[in-house]
Structure formats: structure tokens, C-alpha cells
Amino acid sequence: MKPVTLKDIAKQLGISITTASKALKNYPDVSDKTKKIVKELAVKLNYVPNSFAIGLRKQESKTIGVIIPTMVHYFFSTVLDAIIKEAESRNYMVIILQSNEDYQTEKKQVDLLLNKGVDGILISLSNKTRDFKHLQKIMDYNIPLILFDKIAKLVNCSKVLIDDRKAAYSAVSYLINTGRKRIAHFRGDLNPQNSIDRFLGYKKALEDHGIPYDSSLIYLCNNNSDFTDGYSSAKQLLLDHGDNVDAIFTVNDMLAIGAINYFNENGIKIPDQIALFGFSNWFMASVITPSLSSVEQNAYKIGKRSSEILFEEIERKKKGEPIVYQKVIIDTELVLRNSS
């Protein structure tokens, strides 16, 4: 069946389309009697407002776009939960896209969202993103852009993130204060800013506690969203250093859990022989044996604040008001468990 339109309702009742529209929106200049008959007929005919047509009139789509590197990561699924709830509370639809840590895919997805006419875009950059022209393109289109978690310092827009360097410093300092002196670091790709900052926080903690930095204790995990990378790095660590390592700080929980699996399979006692500290407080951190100490990133707060700022900027744009870019740092905390 052909969808019922506002014109159909107006024609059947012998009133203008404007009057029918006002009646449905409870305008005070329409009588209660007219409102009642219009609403009753709308229900009877199963009338649904055409949001696309409304959007064209108001020059808005009531849609936002979100690009994340991966769907399976607990951190990003939690961020998305917050974004979707915030959007739904404002009657916005969310288009969610996954870059798979690929720059070219991320570029295409930005074009897709621009072509869809979204009112704003939230992005956590892929590990491979080194050029930011596609982000500038969003700004050139006058579309509000918020970067979260994995950001680009050179892009002039609002950003929501944690202090990765400070959080890493706290985790490694904790390990040192519990007597650990030979602390390895399983780091992520060389490019992402959060990977860089977590490495620098690790290095600074060693320096401030008088422990010499040893580059042989750094293991680059390019596929840092995979348990197998943590497993293989733990194996290589023991081949390289034997029992001359007493702790590992990992760039995320998945690497730490992969390492725990290797140590458990090979009879290495955690934390007696080696302690582990992860990052992001993934739900698996609390159920693996031994449970994993981790940095709580407060992903839900990141998602909620990112979307709040985006909607603030969308509203300011609609009103023709200037947008002042914000940089919001979400607090982190150490969650101590049996692995340390």
C-alpha cells in the first residue's frame, strides 16, 4: 500500500495541509476539536511522518555517523552503546561504520557519510591513518567533527580522550612500587597517538624511578587487537630473556590475556614469577585466571561526552552560533587484580 501522507489526511477532512500539520504538532491556533479529529484519523490510517521530507525542509537529516577501527573490541562496543543511547534520546539515527584499521577504508567511509548528508561525524582513527585530508574535508563541508580515543593532534576540531601517558605512567609506577624492576612493554603500532603516549608513559615511569630503559624489552605488536600477538610475544620474551623479566605492561588487555594464556600453558606462575598489567579493563580481564589488573578507560563516559559535544556543535551550527572546539580529558583509574 502507498504510504498515507499529510495531504491525504487534509483532503479527507476538508482542511488545509498546514492546519493538519499544526494539529498534529499541537499548535495553539488550532482548535481542540480539529486536533482531535486529525489525530484520530492519523492513527486510523497509520500515518507516519516522512522524516526525510521534514529533514529537507529543516536542512537536517537527524542522522549522525560514527567510524570506529573495530566492532569486536569491548572498548568500542561500550563507546557505541553510549553514543546510540545519547542519539536516541534526541531522536537521531546513528550510522555505524568500521574501518578495520585501514586508512583507505576510513577515507571512503567519510565520503559515504558526507554523501548521506549526516548532521555530524564521530571518528576514532585507524592505526594506519597518517594523512588527514579526509578529516579536513568534513570541516570544509561545515559538518561538526569529533575525534575520540585515537585522535590527530594536527586536526582542529573537538576531541575526547584520556591522558594515555599519565595512565601508563601510573600502571608502570604501580608495578615498580610492588618491587618489579625488569618490566617489558608490549606496545601497539608505531603510528597511533595513544600507542605512542602509552609507550612514553612507560618510559617516563622507569626514568623517574631510576630504572634504565632497555629497548630489548619492547615488543612491537602490529596486530594488537589479537590475542595471538600477546601469546607469541610472551613466548619470544622468554626466549630472549628467560626469567630475567618480572613484569609486563601491555598497550591493551587482549595482548595481556594472550600472554597469560601462554604463561598458564607453560607453568609460569602469575604474579609470582611475572606480573601483568593491561589497559582498557575489558570484561575478560575480570574472568580470566588469574584476573588481570588493568587501566579503566571509562569508555562509556568517552562515548557519552563525545556525542554530547557533537550535538552541542550541531545545535550551534543550526543557530548560526560560533563553535569553540573543546579538548576533554576523561579520567582513568587503576583496577588491581590477581595478575599484579
Side-chain angles (χ1 to χ4, degrees):
M1 290 179 63
K2 186 179 176 182
V4 175
T5 67
L6 202 58
K7 184 178 179 180
D8 297 328
I9 293 173
K11 184 178 180 180
Q12 192 162 328
L13 293 175
I15 60 177
S16 70
I17 295 174
T18 300
T19 300
S21 176
K22 285 184 173 183
L24 289 172
K25 295 174 182 174
N26 285 317
Y27 273 58
D29 58 343
V30 178
S31 70
D32 290 340
K33 180 182 177 181
T34 301
K35 289 177 185 176
K36 184 174 184 293
I37 62 173
V38 170
K39 289 177 182 178
E40 285 176 350
L41 184 58
V43 171
K44 182 180 177 181
L45 298 178
N46 293 316
Y47 168 70
V48 178
N50 187 330
S51 59
F52 181 71
I54 294 170
L56 284 177
R57 288 198 298 273
K58 293 185 176 181
Q59 293 188 315
E60 61 179 1
S61 66
K62 298 296 284 185
T63 304
I64 62 169
V66 183
I67 302 175
I68 57 173
T70 176
M71 296 282 189
V72 298
H73 198 295
Y74 177 70
F75 170 80
F76 288 113
S77 65
T78 306
V79 169
L80 285 176
D81 184 35
I83 292 172
I84 291 168
K85 286 178 180 173
E86 190 65 29
E88 286 178 344
S89 73
R90 300 167 186 262
N91 296 316
Y92 270 77
M93 186 173 68
V94 183
I95 299 174
I96 301 169
L97 300 171
Q98 175 179 266
S99 68
N100 283 315
E101 301 286 11
D102 180 72
Y103 165 65
Q104 293 298 333
T105 300
E106 186 178 281
K107 273 178 58 180
K108 290 176 185 176
Q109 290 173 342
V110 164
D111 286 338
L112 175 65
L113 292 176
L114 291 176
N115 289 335
K116 289 291 183 183
V118 297
D119 297 329
I121 299 176
L122 294 147
I123 304 181
S124 182
L125 298 175
S126 83
N127 286 341
K128 308 300 180 186
T129 300
R130 294 173 173 80
D131 187 294
F132 308 118
K133 290 188 182 70
H134 61 309
L135 303 182
Q136 186 56 50
K137 187 176 183 179
I138 298 171
M139 313 293 285
D140 293 342
Y141 271 61
N142 197 28
I143 302 297
L145 166 68
I146 312 296
L147 295 180
F148 67 93
D149 185 45
K150 293 198 281 186
I151 66 158
K153 288 185 175 180
L154 298 178
V155 176
N156 191 25
C157 68
S158 292
K159 295 156 190 162
V160 179
L161 63 158
I162 64 170
D163 189 334
D164 284 285
R165 197 175 303 195
K166 180 181 176 183
Y169 182 94
S170 296
V172 176
S173 293
Y174 169 81
L175 289 171
I176 295 169
N177 290 333
T178 57
R180 313 291 171 166
K181 302 297 182 186
R182 292 279 292 169
I183 304 171
H185 178 40
F186 291 1
R187 65 164 297 168
D189 281 334
L190 297 175
N191 182 58
Q193 192 61 51
N194 59 359
S195 176
I196 295 169
D197 286 339
R198 291 173 199 179
F199 166 70
L200 292 175
Y202 157 85
K203 196 173 179 183
K204 180 65 173 170
L206 297 180
E207 177 187 325
D208 286 355
H209 289 85
I211 298 175
Y213 169 70
D214 182 351
S215 61
S216 72
L217 293 175
I218 307 301
Y219 289 78
L220 182 63
C221 302
N222 291 315
N223 191 15
N224 63 72
S225 293
D226 194 335
F227 300 105
T228 58
D229 225 352
Y231 186 97
S232 60
S233 293
K235 181 178 180 179
Q236 189 61 49
L237 176 69
L238 292 191
L239 289 173
D240 293 341
H241 298 280
D243 59 1
N244 192 27
V245 177
D246 53 20
I248 307 171
F249 168 62
T250 61
V251 73
N252 62 36
D253 286 346
M254 284 185 278
L255 293 176
I257 290 169
I260 287 173
N261 285 340
Y262 177 79
F263 294 144
N264 285 344
E265 287 178 10
N266 289 273
I268 296 163
K269 295 180 180 179
I270 306 168
D272 297 342
Q273 292 174 263
I274 193 164
L276 286 101
F277 215 111
F279 206 110
S280 76
N281 199 28
W282 194 34
F283 77 94
M284 279 290 289
S286 63
V287 298
I288 194 168
T289 303
S291 56
L292 175 65
S293 294
S294 186
V295 175
E296 171 57 67
Q297 286 182 263
N298 289 312
Y300 194 89
K301 288 183 181 179
I302 291 174
K304 182 174 174 58
R305 192 70 192 104
S306 297
S307 49
E308 285 174 345
I309 293 172
L310 182 67
F311 289 120
E312 287 169 16
E313 293 191 2
I314 289 171
E315 286 302 310
R316 294 186 74 86
K317 177 191 168 186
K318 282 161 58 175
K319 294 175 182 177
E321 298 175 351
I323 294 173
V324 178
Y325 297 133
Q326 304 177 51
K327 182 179 181 182
V328 176
I329 307 296
I330 302 296
D331 289 337
T332 59
E333 56 200 89
L334 301 185
V335 179
L336 305 179
R337 298 192 179 96
N338 295 333
S339 70
S340 64

